[in-house]
Amino acid sequence: MATALNEVTVESGSVGALFTDSAPTPGRRVWRELRTSPTALLSAAFIIFILLLAVFAPLVAQLTGWGPNEFDPDAINPDLGGLPVGPGGGIGSDHWFGVEPGNGRDIFTRIAYGARVSLTIAFAATLATTVLGVLAGMLAGFYGGWVDQVVSRVMDFLMAFPTLIFMIAILSALPADNRLVLLVIVLSVFGWTYTARIVRGQTMGLRTSEFVEAARASGGRGLGIILREILPNLRGTIIVLVTLSVPAYIGTEAGLSFLGVGVVPPTPSWGKMIAQAVPWYASDPMYFIFPGVFLFLTVLSFTVLGDRLGKILDAGDAA
Amino acid sequence: MKMRNLLAPIALVGALVLAGCSGGGTSSAPSDSASTQAVKGGTVYVLNSGYSHLDPAQGYDTGVMDFYRLIYRTLTTQGTGDQANEILPDLATDLGTPNDDATVWTFHLKDDIFFEDGTPITSEDVRFGVERSFDPDIAVGSPYARTLLADVDGYEGVYRDGHLKSIETPDDKTIIFHLSRSFPDFAHAVSQPVYTPFPADAGVTTTSLDEKPIASGPYRVAEYTPGTTLKLARNDYWKASSDGIRPALPDAFEWNMTLDAATMDERLIASQGDDANAIGSSIQAASIARVQTPEIKSRTLSGTMGCSTFLALNTTKEPFDDEKARQAVAWAVDKSSVQNGTGGTLLADVATTILPPQMDGRQDFDVYPSTDHAGDPEKAKALLTEAGLPDGFTMTLDLASGTVSQAQGAAIQQSLEKAGITVKLNSIDSSSYWESVGNAAKENEAVLGAWCSDWGNGETFLPPLFEGSQINDVGNYNWSQLNDKSINEKMTEIRSMTDIEAAGKAWSDIDKSLVTMAAAVPLVYQKVVLVTGSNIAGAYSDPAFSGQIDLVAVGLKNADE
């Protein structure tokens, strides 16, 4: 991915390079192309909706009148094993998405609070893995030699691990005091290698490019070149990696919660809701469908958006 | 006096429900739904999660104790059908002859009793069975030999220490037990699996029976792969004439132990093919709504487990060293939401006493009444203020990871929240739960406990849970860690009572004191809902085995299907 010098300088305003007002900035170009893609717009709209839902979850609770952990004994039928009263798992004006069987907790409120948990973990893990992965990848790719050897072997080691099994083992063994932080740490420890591997490859390509040579010739030192010349050129790659790893972490978090090693109850979590809904699939399918659909659409939206972004940025690079 | 895994009876495990319960239960009569006469022959299929041990010295949960009756016989055993609540002679000719103070018991064996290889069962064999159960390698089963027989201090079983002095076998048909104290209920004790006979001279070791049991009952093990399948065939040497209790109608039994709970429910409800001849454990809460059609209802049984689920409050930890703080919890708990979490009215009754309803002499009382058992947070808050905790407090509740326990925990958490008490849930894997909470030093402020009686005697229930001398460093069941002088003294007093009725009432009085001081908060008595295949007959929920179907009585309507 050899990037034209002039674009690099445009991208990295901090370098203090030439500005050409006539050419559209990449940001504007990306926005223009995204606007013409209805799938990307829909995805972005859904992501914004989920973000708002997560941020304003307490407001949602006030709006529905039900806290995330509040029981509603009147919404379930104790004589039928705690099955929600009414059609579609108790959907009605009181509970828009119905209630959980057995206790009558409001599913809409719990979805909103569950989005909080999902997104917090996914964003935090993405941030951690991106910082770690980009740093390690750039160092390994730029310096080569023993630095590359050490970083690459650590990556090999972590990638060879049966990650999911190991995560389950670690999370079941550790105390459950602060699962949110633990989940982020565990996801990050195993997740940064994927970013690092790609960034390392890109850096190796950039290292020998003319503008890096030029920077070197004009007296640039290692770290300075990495930050001023290499990093800005990786921006497109990083953006794509980020948009693709967010849904991956949402999925993994849901998976771990489904397996019972996610956040501790009563904290709502989509994965946990789906796990609890499994035995009810025949008598109360809506309990399964709501968190399932939300999880599916969220992951799909991030993936579609990431994919579109990747394509647009790639096209820009080629231009 | 013991319990076991009441953990996930509805959710995951089914058969792993706890040690025997029995006594004057209400649900013992064969249900109408299964009243069609069962016929001889055919194969009954059982869908459950398998058994802990085929060695009766080690197995002590209700699932396996129900199973043992198919392949083993003991001196006495519970009756079947209308007599399901009674203890009846099995290998013995009668219920035993005690001496004046019930410390020496003599039993005589019937004629025509054989092991599966045709050798007659002698008193030697009964003695050998009891003596081998003392071996430290396998002494994990029913405690009624270890705790009742005399001269057992330091005795480590027949393999290491030879014969036990307190069992005499004057001839092949007579066996005499010397007890360490008066025990008028001994006829119940010898129905426990540790009293199963095994041939004394057949090379039985501590491990051989788990692999190759030696049958004395109507069936023998034809094939067994632990955790996968188990097949029983008829024991040709078993004589129906010497056994008035077991109808033993089917020619064979076959287990499928590989299914998860939802699949079992699904197959029993569908009742297709071989599943028409199938029985299983209690269905899950999620399946309750699906068994309400007349066709399925006609083959559904319900019954009580005879167990009690309660919240044990650790009296050695702050703030529960203060009676007022404990009583605040007792007032605040919303038992009806715990009931809903357990699976609603069909799978649980709200409990106000620690002793479950079938116990002898048990009185019904409610020390903490509230509307619909929904709890009274205001009273709780008032008590907390009195206790100097106006802002409430934070406590940790130990509970198992099973679906039902988790739902019960969430209900407790939510209801205590209203009284300003924050509950942190400490989920422990179901398989190691009792071991973990049995570690007295590591126990948190509260434990979600459960207990089943072995029979209607209160002694099998309250002392292990609340007697001061029974607080152990490990393997502890006194989760309240209660060491109350007056309670201890009363328990000792009742043990010396020979009038069983008066003793029953006295145990119930202790129950009331315990609930009043809130050493534990009774939550629910769990129940079972069993769906049987459409060709099953003679099935009933047996209170002696936590409401599971009595396996020795079940049969088929039509043996050719």
Side-chain angles (χ1 to χ4, degrees):
Chain A
M1 206 195 270
T3 312
L5 180 59
N6 66 340
E7 194 185 322
V8 172
T9 48
V10 170
E11 277 186 3
S12 45
S14 60
V15 185
L18 318 151
F19 275 94
T20 38
D21 286 338
S22 55
T25 61
R28 264 191 234 150
R29 183 173 58 79
V30 167
W31 173 234
R32 203 180 54 207
E33 296 207 17
L34 272 184
R35 260 192 321 194
T36 60
S37 158
T39 48
L41 278 183
L42 276 177
S43 302
F46 188 77
I47 290 170
I48 290 166
F49 167 66
I50 288 291
L51 281 172
L52 290 175
L53 202 61
V55 172
F56 297 108
L59 226 64
V60 169
Q62 277 189 357
L63 208 62
T64 57
W66 297 100
N69 301 321
E70 202 173 330
F71 286 26
D72 182 5
D74 297 330
I76 52 169
N77 184 349
D79 296 333
L80 287 178
L83 194 73
V85 179
I91 295 178
S93 54
D94 255 11
H95 301 282
W96 303 344
F97 284 5
V99 296
E100 293 190 353
N103 51 39
R105 292 188 290 206
D106 186 84
I107 290 183
F108 184 53
T109 314
R110 287 182 73 75
I111 293 257
Y113 276 86
R116 266 191 165 189
V117 174
S118 263
L119 295 181
T120 309
I121 290 176
F123 285 144
T126 303
L127 183 73
T129 52
T130 307
V131 170
L132 255 174
V134 168
L135 262 182
M138 283 195 309
L139 289 176
F142 186 78
Y143 287 110
W146 67 267
V147 180
D148 186 29
Q149 283 294 318
V150 170
V151 175
S152 294
R153 292 300 81 77
V154 172
M155 290 195 295
D156 287 344
F157 175 75
L158 285 174
M159 287 176 109
F161 253 86
T163 316
L164 188 64
I165 297 171
F166 202 69
M167 282 190 214
I168 295 170
I170 289 186
L171 287 168
S172 343
L174 292 173
D177 288 344
N178 200 339
R179 269 289 164 78
L180 216 67
V181 174
L182 258 179
L183 275 165
V184 171
I185 292 175
V186 170
L187 288 173
S188 307
V189 165
F190 289 101
W192 66 271
T193 53
Y194 297 92
T195 311
R197 189 133 280 206
I198 294 167
V199 168
R200 171 176 166 271
Q202 302 265 10
T203 311
M204 285 168 94
L206 290 173
R207 187 176 60 177
T208 52
S209 61
E210 288 166 8
F211 65 91
V212 175
E213 295 291 333
R216 230 184 231 134
S218 49
R221 307 286 300 271
L223 208 58
I225 297 177
I226 291 181
L227 293 178
R228 293 213 186 108
E229 310 296 335
I230 309 268
L231 183 59
N233 273 287
L234 292 169
R235 202 163 67 172
T237 311
I238 293 169
I239 288 175
V240 174
L241 281 174
V242 165
T243 41
L244 288 178
S245 62
V246 168
Y249 289 125
I250 291 177
T252 313
E253 183 274 326
L256 290 171
S257 294
F258 181 87
L259 293 168
V261 291
V263 290
V264 187
T267 314
S269 147
W270 295 351
K272 185 122 197 142
M273 286 172 87
I274 293 173
Q276 284 168 344
V278 168
W280 297 89
Y281 77 94
S283 44
D284 181 14
M286 294 318 275
Y287 183 23
F288 181 85
I289 287 172
F290 279 117
V293 163
F294 269 84
L295 179 62
F296 169 72
L297 286 181
T298 308
V299 172
L300 182 74
S301 301
F302 273 106
T303 313
V304 167
L305 193 68
D307 192 54
R308 289 301 308 164
L309 268 179
K311 285 226 173 81
I312 294 166
L313 289 170
D314 265 359
D317 287 342
Chain B
M1 67 156 104
K2 186 135 184 174
M3 60 110 219
R4 269 300 124 106
N5 282 317
L6 191 73
L7 291 183
I10 300 157
L12 284 170
V13 196
L16 254 180
V17 185
L18 219 234
C21 343
S22 118
T26 50
S27 59
S28 56
S31 143
D32 294 345
S33 60
S35 58
T36 317
Q37 207 62 38
V39 297
K40 210 165 160 27
T43 300
V44 168
Y45 295 87
V46 187
L47 313 180
N48 68 15
S49 52
Y51 295 118
S52 51
H53 288 282
L54 297 196
D55 179 353
Q58 299 182 62
Y60 184 40
D61 47 87
T62 36
V64 79
M65 285 164 77
D66 187 13
F67 164 75
Y68 284 155
R69 299 218 301 167
L70 288 171
I71 59 170
Y72 298 131
R73 296 180 67 179
T74 41
L75 292 172
T76 64
T77 194
Q78 272 91 14
T80 50
D82 294 339
Q83 294 174 303
N85 283 327
E86 286 172 46
I87 198 81
L88 298 171
D90 187 0
L91 289 174
T93 53
D94 56 21
L95 292 177
T97 317
N99 66 348
D100 288 345
D101 61 354
T103 55
V104 180
W105 286 75
T106 307
F107 292 87
H108 298 282
L109 299 183
K110 288 176 183 166
D111 295 324
D112 276 346
I113 48 176
F114 303 100
F115 289 112
E116 65 177 87
D117 62 354
T119 41
I121 298 169
T122 66
S123 54
E124 274 298 305
D125 302 327
V126 178
R127 172 165 74 169
F128 173 75
V130 178
E131 286 171 346
R132 71 179 284 282
S133 78
F134 279 83
D135 194 283
D137 289 347
I138 56 173
V140 294
S142 169
Y144 293 100
R146 298 194 293 278
T147 57
L148 290 178
L149 296 180
D151 301 323
V152 294
D153 276 347
Y155 180 68
E156 296 202 328
V158 65
Y159 301 111
R160 304 185 195 200
D161 294 346
H163 287 313
L164 189 59
K165 273 179 275 170
S166 48
I167 306 178
E168 287 178 68
T169 54
D171 60 58
D172 273 0
K173 291 283 174 196
T174 310
I175 185 160
I176 303 167
F177 296 96
H178 295 265
L179 309 189
S180 57
R181 61 186 171 96
S182 168
F183 197 75
D185 247 0
F186 194 61
H188 272 107
V190 294
S191 72
Q192 292 281 305
V194 282
Y195 288 89
T196 307
F198 287 104
D201 47 10
V204 171
T205 68
T206 50
T207 53
S208 67
L209 291 176
D210 261 349
E211 287 151 24
K212 188 72 195 94
I214 298 176
S216 41
Y219 300 94
R220 62 184 169 80
V221 173
E223 192 188 321
Y224 180 41
T225 314
T228 308
T229 184
L230 170 63
K231 289 178 184 168
L232 298 187
R234 281 204 182 274
N235 169 12
D236 299 328
Y237 292 95
W238 171 79
K239 298 272 180 291
S241 56
S242 74
D243 188 335
I245 294 166
R246 300 171 177 79
L249 295 169
D251 286 333
F253 279 87
E254 193 173 326
W255 273 258
N256 185 341
M257 305 170 168
T258 58
L259 306 172
D260 65 68
T263 315
M264 288 183 213
D265 291 0
E266 202 62 47
R267 286 179 54 169
L268 289 167
I269 290 170
S271 183
Q272 298 293 309
D274 281 347
D275 291 339
N277 298 348
I279 55 175
S281 340
S282 182
I283 60 170
Q284 306 184 87
S287 303
I288 293 280
R290 304 178 56 206
V291 302
Q292 306 300 325
T293 65
E295 191 276 320
I296 302 171
K297 220 168 183 171
S298 72
R299 49 192 176 89
T300 299
L301 307 164
S302 54
T304 57
M305 292 177 65
C307 306
S308 203
T309 304
F310 53 89
L311 183 67
L313 303 176
N314 188 343
T315 56
T316 61
K317 282 218 165 175
E318 276 185 22
F320 292 140
D321 50 352
D322 184 344
E323 184 176 281
K324 290 207 169 71
R326 301 198 300 268
Q327 286 167 335
V329 171
W331 278 112
V333 168
D334 178 349
K335 292 176 184 177
S336 90
S337 73
V338 175
Q339 179 191 30
N340 286 337
T342 314
T345 52
L346 290 177
L347 287 172
D349 286 328
V350 165
T352 53
T353 70
I354 296 164
L355 290 174
Q358 88 282 2
M359 302 300 287
D360 300 339
R362 181 252 192 192
Q363 309 155 69
D364 202 7
F365 55 82
D366 190 356
V367 185
Y368 307 98
S370 63
T371 318
D372 298 333
H373 297 290
D376 192 336
E378 294 314 313
K379 279 215 172 76
K381 277 187 192 156
L383 271 167
L384 284 178
T385 312
E386 276 181 52
L389 297 159
D391 302 326
F393 57 89
T394 300
M395 59 177 264
T396 304
L397 167 64
D398 292 330
L399 79 174
S401 57
T403 320
V404 174
S405 301
Q406 290 291 318
Q408 292 168 340
I412 294 167
Q413 187 177 44
Q414 182 60 21
S415 52
L416 294 192
E417 189 75 53
K418 290 181 197 156
I421 303 168
T422 307
V423 181
K424 284 201 218 162
L425 300 179
N426 177 33
S427 296
I428 301 170
D429 193 74
S430 298
S431 58
S432 58
Y433 179 64
W434 299 118
E435 245 170 70
S436 301
V437 295
N439 187 327
K442 286 191 183 159
E443 191 189 318
N444 282 307
E445 285 85 6
V447 167
L448 188 57
W451 198 263
C452 308
S453 69
D454 286 326
W455 60 88
N457 187 337
E459 183 171 354
T460 69
F461 216 98
L462 296 179
L465 298 175
F466 300 105
E467 193 172 31
S469 61
Q470 303 211 33
I471 302 176
N472 302 312
D473 292 340
V474 292
N476 179 41
Y477 295 119
N478 185 343
W479 302 299
S480 305
Q481 303 200 25
L482 184 74
N483 193 357
D484 183 274
K485 197 157 162 264
S486 76
I487 296 277
N488 293 345
E489 277 168 6
K490 266 191 229 156
M491 287 188 179
T492 315
E493 208 175 294
I494 300 177
R495 285 212 179 87
S496 61
M497 292 165 75
T498 46
D499 179 349
I500 293 184
E501 238 172 75
K505 188 173 172 301
W507 284 117
S508 185
D509 291 339
I510 292 191
D511 184 2
K512 193 163 187 175
S513 318
L514 288 166
V515 174
T516 307
M517 68 168 74
V521 182
L523 298 171
V524 287
Y525 312 119
Q526 288 186 211
K527 303 198 281 190
V528 294
V529 175
L530 303 152
V531 176
T532 62
S534 54
N535 192 33
I536 291 287
Y540 56 88
S541 162
D542 191 337
F545 302 109
S546 289
Q548 300 297 307
I549 289 174
D550 191 351
L551 291 171
V552 298
V554 72
L556 301 179
K557 287 177 190 164
N558 183 343
D560 304 323
E561 267 179 30

